[in-house]
Amino acid sequence: MNQHLLYSLAAVLVLGLIGYAGGSGMPYLFGVIIPYAAMVLFFAGFAMRMLGWVKSPVPFRIPTTCGQQQSFSWIQHSKYDNPSNKRDVLVRMLLEIFLFRSLFRNTKNEIREGKVVYNLEIWLWLFGLIFHYSFLVVLVRHLRFFLEPIPALLKVVEMLDGILQIGLPGILLSGFLLLGAALFLFARRILIPQVRYISLTADYFPVLLIASIAGTGILMRYVAKVDIFTVKQMTMSLATFSPVVPEGIGGLFYAHFFLVCVLFAYFPFSKLMHSGGIFLSPTRNMANNSRAVRHINPWNPKLKFVTYADYEDEFREKMIEAGLPVEKKE
Amino acid sequence: MSDKLKVLAGLLVLAVLITLPFWLNAGKSGAAPEIVIAEAAKKAGNCVESKEWMAANHMALLDQWRDVVVREGKHIYVSESGQEFNMSLSSGENSCLGCHTSTAEFCDSCHDYTGVGTLYCWECHIDPSKENK
């Protein structure tokens, strides 16, 4: 086991235990102060990163071109792989953000019978998509802890999530899909040698953190139940800025809650910022129109350009004296 | 400059999304409902299992009872303490709703507050407290 994996596993385990113990030892710190601080840190950090990035100069048109650029009318233009106007760029961005289109292009190469062959490798795309969307559903579902009365739309989401009506309390699919997809993304990192080679602590830690959040959540709902009535009293007190920490909420809840706080606080300083960064990717959000539009570097100094005719006007006599050819004699 | 404005607009959207619960809850107390224990339940003194265990596991117990009654035809539940109970949700006095006479006060108030799924008991069972009205 390499050090990166070991550090991440240890960090998640220790953080979970801190939350578990902290809930019974210092419930006000772990139930009120840390959550609020984590939210502030999340938003402030997120804004700081985004404003930092937007300051970066983007002097060149550097869209990734994945298809035929716009050319003659009789050459087919791949509009969304090589967009040439804002509308197509928008479509490309939406496809990227909501469907992870560039990941769908993922291929795997190998040597078969002495030849290099490329195969479509859609598993990363598929599980990535499942991971993100189930996380979204889980996040939306959790709004029920922070809203009273609960909006009808939220109940519809929960009904659809539990539509299979397996067991009681009914299985909510998104939670298990999230855990499964997170574990797939983790397994991929340790099982594929090339991916393992480039995986660092910053790669293992978030995926393990999210998997453990999903795991503790599932444990709380289906196995070691916590008193959800008291939990809602507490979360509602947070959402109405009148924090109270009722007694008798299990340590498992605090472990879950603290891990979520860690995720929020860690978010702006991690690779998870791809959520904001994707909007600012110059390789995606620019139109490839360099051959149609002249792009001038915005901070080019304003210089007076000297044409050859002006140059010759200035130095004509000296040039003739030196025997250099001139275009206009006198 | 326009890029900066776009980012600021995006951050504003994010800020609104994060603080959505605060806005939606503004002006509401969000207070928890009072749990009402019906007179008949108070008189009985105890449920089939301890109060804490029932609060956490009643749904699993009801699920188990349903399978045992419907598939195996057994109607007697023996509790941890050895007491025997009739396994029934809504049939007469000797059932869950025999003691907990008002489903609106006893079941729905908590379920609505915590938003734990939709009760689908009444798709098959008759709710006696509503039937009488």
Side-chain angles (χ1 to χ4, degrees):
Chain A
M1 198 191 286
N2 70 43
Q3 49 166 345
H4 299 298
L5 183 53
L6 198 66
Y7 287 156
S8 309
L9 275 172
V12 170
L13 198 68
V14 168
L15 287 168
L17 288 175
I18 288 175
Y20 191 86
S24 56
M26 290 167 282
Y28 197 80
L29 177 67
F30 282 84
V32 179
I33 297 172
I34 289 178
Y36 279 138
M39 292 310 288
V40 170
L41 201 58
F42 170 73
F43 185 70
F46 202 103
M48 195 190 75
R49 292 297 299 270
M50 292 297 283
L51 293 174
W53 281 331
V54 80
K55 264 193 234 155
S56 313
V58 187
F60 302 117
R61 290 265 138 178
I62 50 167
T64 314
T65 57
C66 309
Q68 172 62 46
Q69 73 170 329
Q70 191 175 28
S71 180
F72 294 111
S73 58
W74 42 270
I75 296 177
Q76 196 182 9
H77 173 206
S78 41
K79 270 195 203 167
Y80 306 128
D81 284 327
N82 200 335
S84 62
N85 58 39
K86 273 192 178 170
R87 193 189 66 94
D88 294 346
V89 167
L90 190 73
V91 174
R92 186 190 205 193
M93 286 294 284
L94 290 176
L95 288 172
E96 185 64 32
I97 290 164
F98 291 107
L99 297 173
F100 312 165
R101 192 154 171 265
S102 66
L103 209 53
F104 187 68
R105 240 189 296 272
N106 191 24
T107 53
K108 191 176 75 176
N109 55 3
E110 58 186 325
I111 293 174
R112 201 181 287 165
E113 294 165 12
K115 279 182 185 166
V116 179
V117 290
Y118 296 91
N119 290 314
L120 202 57
E121 220 282 280
I122 64 159
W123 301 112
L124 178 61
W125 170 80
L126 185 68
F127 280 90
L129 208 62
I130 293 174
F131 175 82
H132 283 81
Y133 276 101
S134 54
F135 207 163
L136 177 68
V137 173
V138 168
L139 210 61
V140 168
R141 269 205 289 107
H142 274 72
L143 278 176
R144 75 180 159 107
F145 289 106
F146 299 96
L147 294 173
E148 173 63 33
I150 298 164
L153 195 62
L154 223 53
K155 291 184 178 167
V156 173
V157 170
E158 180 144 336
M159 189 272 286
L160 290 174
D161 203 2
I163 199 152
L164 296 186
Q165 287 191 348
I166 303 167
L168 269 174
I171 298 276
L172 295 176
L173 299 171
S174 57
F176 289 92
L177 287 174
L178 175 62
L179 181 63
L183 290 177
F184 172 87
L185 296 177
F186 174 67
R188 179 183 157 270
R189 285 203 178 275
I190 49 173
L191 293 180
I192 303 174
Q194 294 92 328
V195 184
R196 186 169 62 224
Y197 184 73
I198 58 165
S199 295
L200 303 171
T201 314
D203 298 308
Y204 291 121
F205 178 66
V207 72
L208 284 174
L209 186 64
I210 291 166
S212 59
I213 287 171
T216 48
I218 285 171
L219 272 182
M220 259 194 296
R221 182 176 163 91
Y222 304 99
V223 187
K225 302 201 172 73
V226 296
D227 188 351
I228 192 170
F229 192 78
T230 330
V231 169
K232 171 116 189 197
Q233 278 181 314
M234 181 189 154
T235 51
M236 276 310 291
S237 77
L238 290 177
T240 51
F241 285 122
S242 47
V244 283
V245 185
E247 278 185 27
I249 305 179
L252 192 58
F253 167 77
Y254 280 101
H256 181 73
F257 202 39
F258 183 62
L259 288 172
V260 173
C261 292
V262 169
L263 180 66
F264 270 100
Y266 171 71
F267 198 99
F269 312 102
S270 68
K271 64 187 283 197
L272 302 171
M273 271 309 289
H274 67 263
S275 56
I278 191 165
F279 294 96
L280 301 180
S281 334
T283 54
R284 299 278 155 204
N285 67 13
M286 294 185 130
N288 178 22
N289 57 1
S290 306
R291 282 173 176 76
V293 180
R294 184 170 179 216
H295 298 285
I296 297 168
N297 187 355
W299 63 88
N300 271 354
K302 294 255 182 302
L303 292 178
K304 190 179 169 285
F305 288 95
V306 180
T307 60
Y308 180 72
D310 292 341
Y311 174 85
E312 209 186 80
D313 281 347
E314 192 177 347
F315 296 107
R316 184 167 295 109
E317 284 173 23
K318 291 190 172 97
M319 288 170 81
I320 292 170
E321 259 175 47
L324 290 172
V326 286
E327 289 186 347
K328 225 165 68 177
K329 289 179 181 157
E330 228 42 51
Chain B
M1 193 58 208
S2 75
D3 278 355
K4 200 173 180 184
L5 283 178
K6 280 179 207 160
V7 166
L8 285 173
L11 287 172
L12 189 71
V13 171
L14 181 71
V16 169
L17 281 179
I18 295 174
T19 52
L20 198 63
F22 299 118
W23 302 118
L24 291 176
N25 284 323
K28 293 176 194 160
S29 68
E34 291 276 323
I35 300 169
V36 181
I37 309 279
E39 286 303 316
K42 277 183 191 159
K43 212 188 280 176
N46 63 307
C47 199
V48 296
E49 299 289 353
S50 77
K51 199 173 157 186
E52 290 72 31
W53 192 91
M54 286 307 291
N57 298 302
H58 61 275
M59 72 305 283
L61 186 76
L62 289 172
D63 193 32
Q64 184 201 340
W65 280 17
R66 177 181 60 187
D67 290 354
V68 171
V69 171
V70 174
R71 295 182 190 162
E72 295 168 29
K74 292 178 186 162
H75 288 270
I76 301 299
Y77 173 73
V78 183
S79 74
E80 284 284 294
S81 59
Q83 267 182 290
E84 291 188 354
F85 292 94
N86 180 29
M87 283 194 275
S88 170
L89 177 69
S90 58
S91 60
E93 274 181 33
N94 214 355
S95 70
C96 299
L97 299 183
C99 282
H100 305 293
T101 45
S102 169
T103 53
E105 282 174 352
F106 190 70
C107 310
D108 298 345
S109 64
C110 264
H111 273 251
D112 287 347
Y113 179 64
T114 52
V116 279
T118 323
L119 286 179
Y120 55 91
C121 312
W122 320 121
E123 287 173 14
C124 302
H125 289 271
I126 288 170
D127 179 356
S129 65
K130 284 180 184 148
E131 196 67 11
N132 293 339
K133 278 168 198 167

